[in-house]
């Protein structure tokens, strides 16, 4: 078990619930459907990958190896880059601040980190470390 990953997953999980509730109860009233869709995508992907991070932390009890360790780090980085960039884009679009287009490059980088993390998770559970 990797307590650090489990602790981070718990904190990010709480943040996910807060941001989801904020979107459902407050932002839904003030955002356009397109901008709200971007925000909801950020929340959804954050939730899925918080669960993946939690599972990764639990799997450490049986499979303690570098592949799982890197999977956990990449899930965290992916959440920050993918969901974080979408939250920032939502904010900048809502406030009509110009020049936010460059931030959009962070989203696919975060998505790529998610893909690599999932692959490392698959590799990491292939065999136990002795």
């Amino acid at each position: 078990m990797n307590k650090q990953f489990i602790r981070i997953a718990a904190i990010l999980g709480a943040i996910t619930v807060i941001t989801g509730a904020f979107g459902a109860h407050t932002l839904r009233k003030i955002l356009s459907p397109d901008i709200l869709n971007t925000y909801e995508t950020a929340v959804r992907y954050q939730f899925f990958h918080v669960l993946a991070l939690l599972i990764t932390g639990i799997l450490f009890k049986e499979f303690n190896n570098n592949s799982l360790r890197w999977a956990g780090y990449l899930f965290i980085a992916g959440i920050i880059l993918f969901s974080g960039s979408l939250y920032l884009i939502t904010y900048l679009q809502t406030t009509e601040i110009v020049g936010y287009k460059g931030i959009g490059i962070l989203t696919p980088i975060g998505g790529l980190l998610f893909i690599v993390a999932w692959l490392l998770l698959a590799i990491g559970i292939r065999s136990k470390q002795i």
Side-chain angles (χ1 to χ4, degrees):
M1 179 168 29
N2 185 314
K3 288 183 181 181
Q4 180 183 9
F5 287 159
I6 294 171
R7 187 174 299 117
I8 293 169
I11 292 166
L12 288 173
I15 292 169
T16 305
V17 173
I18 292 166
T19 55
F22 181 66
H25 298 290
T26 303
L27 296 180
R28 183 170 305 283
K29 300 172 189 172
I30 60 173
L31 296 182
S32 72
D34 285 344
I35 297 173
L36 184 62
N37 185 49
T38 300
Y39 184 86
E40 289 173 343
T41 299
V43 174
R44 185 172 47 256
Y45 273 76
Q46 182 173 339
F47 177 73
F48 291 148
H49 291 91
V50 162
L51 290 178
L53 179 61
L54 180 63
I55 291 166
T56 302
I58 293 168
L59 285 172
F60 258 90
K61 186 169 185 159
E62 291 294 319
F63 307 94
N64 184 353
N65 59 57
N66 283 332
S67 293
L68 280 184
R69 185 169 288 106
W70 276 103
Y73 293 144
L74 293 180
F75 281 131
I76 294 166
I79 290 168
I80 292 167
L81 291 178
F82 186 90
S83 294
S85 66
L86 291 180
Y87 291 135
L88 187 56
I89 288 169
T90 299
Y91 170 75
L92 295 173
Q93 284 179 327
T94 303
T95 57
E96 298 179 354
I97 295 175
V98 297
Y100 66 86
K101 301 276 188 212
I103 294 167
I105 190 63
L106 298 177
T107 310
I109 292 170
L112 181 61
L113 294 181
F114 285 151
I115 293 166
V116 174
W118 282 107
L119 293 172
L120 286 171
L121 179 59
I123 293 166
I125 61 172
R126 285 181 51 203
S127 63
K128 288 186 180 182
Q129 178 127 352
I130 298 176

